[in-house]
């Protein structure tokens, strides 16, 4: 089970063609600590200090539909509101210490704990309803309704009951047998979607994080930045949620932990222009990846989805192949509503992969199965808690067994 697939691996002396040979020859020696970027200076009384290192609060993005849209920059324009140098981030060695390889059993235990609400809802019902009962037509219908009510979706629920009907019809059935059948069907459904995040290819790789208000985009981006830094990547993080000061501060803190370059602009600035500047900076400095946060937007807000399309258009003026990944961050607590979110963002931003968060706070973990079944999008990560280690590389088998309340 891999986190990422890199083309660059651990850092070496060769950069991609981000800068010309002449620029590389005259470039000064790198500072031992990565340069940090910030908005243009603002009055001292309005500046706030970065938040402390503890995990930041979940996103709660405001509705920004009233904000005027600045003119779209042309590819040849000199970027406006150029970020200026600020205090440096801690050295990478101090921010992201080397750690031993994760303990697989520990990861599964964390996953099982995170999915406890979802699994308990199912397994308690299995034990109560089907204890010492023959599996007849009425029992199968009741089971199917139970699985659908747990946001598993009608197609997957039908496959579970069909499997049991084939093997156990008119026989007594136990909750354990139902859980095994459930785990098998869920794993089969999700297996084609289990994919590591592929960051190979010419640098910089541009990754856009999208989703509705409060889905956890900012903290998820920060956790991924830290994990990538441990793999040797040089990263530029971009506070593209230019309507919410808390999001900028959250990402600043995570960027310091990752030792990443951090770019932002004053609140209310043009997010598309900032994204343009960030990609240009990453190319000039030879960074491996640009991770761009975006403002939360409801899937039914047309003007906000248009702004997302604008960000994509502007990035492509710098690199026609970018963004290389558009990651949809879904809140696991929304259940079946995740389907409409996925549909809207696929149309507006060309979603390439899914991350589902907050699975530890919901009994609707089965909704991930519906998203996979409907759209077949790659699933890269799932979040089962607040900590960095609670963002896990997605494993179809482990997820299925944890959802069904089974051991690894």
């Amino acid at each position: 089970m891999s986190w990422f697939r890199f083309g660059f691996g651990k850092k070496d002396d060769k950069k991609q063609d981000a800068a010309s040979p002449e620029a590389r020859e005259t470039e000064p020696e790198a500072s031992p600590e990565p340069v940090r970027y910030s908005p243009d200076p603002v009055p001292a009384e309005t500046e706030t200090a970065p938040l402390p290192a503890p995990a930041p609060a979940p996103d709660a993005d405001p509705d920004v539909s009233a904000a005027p849209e600045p003119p779209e920059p042309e590819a040849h324009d000199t970027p406006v509101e150029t970020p200026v140098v600020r205090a440096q981030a801690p050295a990478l060695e101090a921010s992201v210490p080397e750690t031993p390889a994760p303990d697989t059993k520990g990861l599964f235990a964390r996953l099982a704990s995170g999915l406890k609400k979802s699994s308990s809802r199912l397994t308690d019902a299995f034990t109560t309803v089907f204890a010492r009962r023959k599996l007849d037509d009425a029992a199968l219908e009741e089971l199917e309704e139970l699985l659908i009510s747990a946001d598993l979706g009608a197609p997957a629920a039908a496959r579970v009951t069909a499997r049991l009907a084939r093997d156990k019809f008119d026989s007594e059935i136990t909750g354990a047998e139902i859980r095994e059948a459930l785990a098998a069907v869920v794993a089969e459904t999700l297996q084609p979607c289990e994919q590591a995040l592929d960051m190979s290819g010419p640098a910089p790789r541009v990754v856009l994080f999208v989703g509705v208000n409060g889905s956890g985009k900012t903290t998820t981006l920060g956790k991924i930045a830290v994990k990538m830094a441990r793999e040797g990547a040089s990263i530029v993080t971009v506070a593209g949620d230019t309507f919410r000061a808390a999001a900028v501060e959250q990402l600043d803190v995570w960027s310091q932990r990752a030792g990443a370059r951090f770019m932002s602009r004053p609140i209310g600035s043009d997010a598309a222009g900032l994204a343009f500047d960030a990609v240009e900076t990453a190319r000039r400095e030879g960074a491996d990846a640009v991770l761009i946060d975006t403002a939360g937007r409801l899937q039914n807000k047309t003007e906000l989805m248009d702004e997302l399309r604008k960000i994509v258009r502007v990035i492509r003026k710098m690199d026609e192949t970018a963004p290389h990944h558009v990651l949809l961050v879904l809140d696991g607590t929304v259940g079946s509503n995740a389907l409409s979110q996925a549909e809207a963002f696929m149309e507006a931003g060309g979603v390439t992969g899914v991350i589902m968060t907050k699975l530890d706070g919901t009994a609707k973990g089965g909704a991930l199965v519906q998203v996979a079944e409907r759209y077949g999008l790659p699933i890269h990560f799932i979040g089962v808690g607040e900590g960095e280690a609670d963002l896990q590389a997605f494993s179809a088998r482990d997820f299925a067994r944890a959802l069904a309340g089974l051991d690894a």
Side-chain angles (χ1 to χ4, degrees), residues 203-266:
R205 309 308 284 172
V206 180
V207 185
L208 196 62
F209 290 75
V210 302
V212 302
N213 301 335
S215 61
K217 297 181 303 299
T218 304
T219 52
T220 297
L221 186 160
K223 292 172 184 178
I224 288 175
V226 171
K227 294 179 188 299
M228 288 181 65
R230 288 203 177 101
E231 296 290 333
S234 61
I235 305 159
V236 175
T237 60
V238 186
D241 185 352
T242 56
F243 298 97
R244 194 168 65 92
V248 177
E249 293 172 353
Q250 284 177 3
L251 188 56
D252 191 1
V253 170
W254 280 105
S255 301
Q256 291 182 55
R257 294 177 186 175
R261 284 161 171 77
F262 171 76
M263 294 183 68
S264 66
R265 279 186 178 173

Side-chain angles (χ1 to χ4, degrees), residues 103-189:
D103 173 29
T104 303
K105 290 185 179 180
L107 288 175
F108 183 84
R110 195 174 287 114
L111 174 62
S113 176
L115 289 172
K116 188 69 174 176
K117 288 187 178 180
S118 295
S119 62
S120 294
R121 179 180 179 181
L122 289 168
T123 57
D124 292 349
F126 295 160
T127 302
T128 302
V129 176
F130 296 100
R132 303 183 64 81
R133 177 178 177 182
K134 283 190 176 182
L135 192 67
D136 54 17
D137 289 332
L140 287 169
E141 184 175 348
E142 192 172 346
L143 174 60
E144 188 169 358
E145 290 176 358
L146 175 64
L147 294 172
I148 293 173
S149 71
D151 288 283
L152 197 68
R159 288 199 299 277
V160 174
T161 54
R163 181 182 295 247
L164 289 170
R166 181 191 65 203
D167 299 335
K168 299 292 293 184
F169 191 77
D170 208 28
S171 302
E172 284 192 1
I173 189 167
T174 65
E177 289 171 322
I178 297 175
R179 292 197 298 272
E180 288 287 353
L182 172 62
V185 168
V186 170
E188 289 169 3
T189 303

Side-chain angles (χ1 to χ4, degrees), residues 54-68:
D59 290 357
D61 302 335
D63 187 342
V64 296
S65 58

Side-chain angles (χ1 to χ4, degrees), residues 159-358:
R159 288 199 299 277
V160 174
T161 54
R163 181 182 295 247
L164 289 170
R166 181 191 65 203
D167 299 335
K168 299 292 293 184
F169 191 77
D170 208 28
S171 302
E172 284 192 1
I173 189 167
T174 65
E177 289 171 322
I178 297 175
R179 292 197 298 272
E180 288 287 353
L182 172 62
V185 168
V186 170
E188 289 169 3
T189 303
L190 295 177
Q191 187 63 53
C193 300
E194 179 187 320
Q195 291 187 30
L197 183 60
D198 187 357
M199 296 298 289
S200 60
R205 309 308 284 172
V206 180
V207 185
L208 196 62
F209 290 75
V210 302
V212 302
N213 301 335
S215 61
K217 297 181 303 299
T218 304
T219 52
T220 297
L221 186 160
K223 292 172 184 178
I224 288 175
V226 171
K227 294 179 188 299
M228 288 181 65
R230 288 203 177 101
E231 296 290 333
S234 61
I235 305 159
V236 175
T237 60
V238 186
D241 185 352
T242 56
F243 298 97
R244 194 168 65 92
V248 177
E249 293 172 353
Q250 284 177 3
L251 188 56
D252 191 1
V253 170
W254 280 105
S255 301
Q256 291 182 55
R257 294 177 186 175
R261 284 161 171 77
F262 171 76
M263 294 183 68
S264 66
R265 279 186 178 173
I267 298 301
S269 298
D270 177 29
L274 174 59
F276 182 93
D277 286 343
V279 176
E280 183 180 53
T281 297
R283 292 180 67 178
R284 183 175 64 250
E285 298 184 356
D288 294 310
V290 183
L291 308 183
I292 305 175
D293 193 16
T294 64
R297 57 200 80 233
L298 298 175
Q299 68 269 30
N300 58 356
K301 293 286 187 178
T302 304
E303 67 278 12
L304 297 182
M305 298 305 279
D306 286 343
E307 184 189 71
L308 179 58
R309 295 184 185 95
K310 176 183 174 182
I311 293 172
V312 173
R313 289 198 308 271
V314 169
I315 290 173
R316 285 178 179 163
K317 290 183 178 182
M318 180 63 64
D319 181 351
E320 63 181 13
T321 68
H324 305 99
H325 296 283
V326 179
L327 302 183
L328 174 59
V329 182
L330 292 171
D331 181 342
T333 64
V334 301
S336 296
N337 192 43
L339 293 172
S340 62
Q341 293 180 20
E343 181 177 2
F345 282 98
M346 285 176 68
E347 187 278 325
V351 172
T352 62
V354 169
I355 301 170
M356 183 166 276
T357 64
K358 305 183 183 180

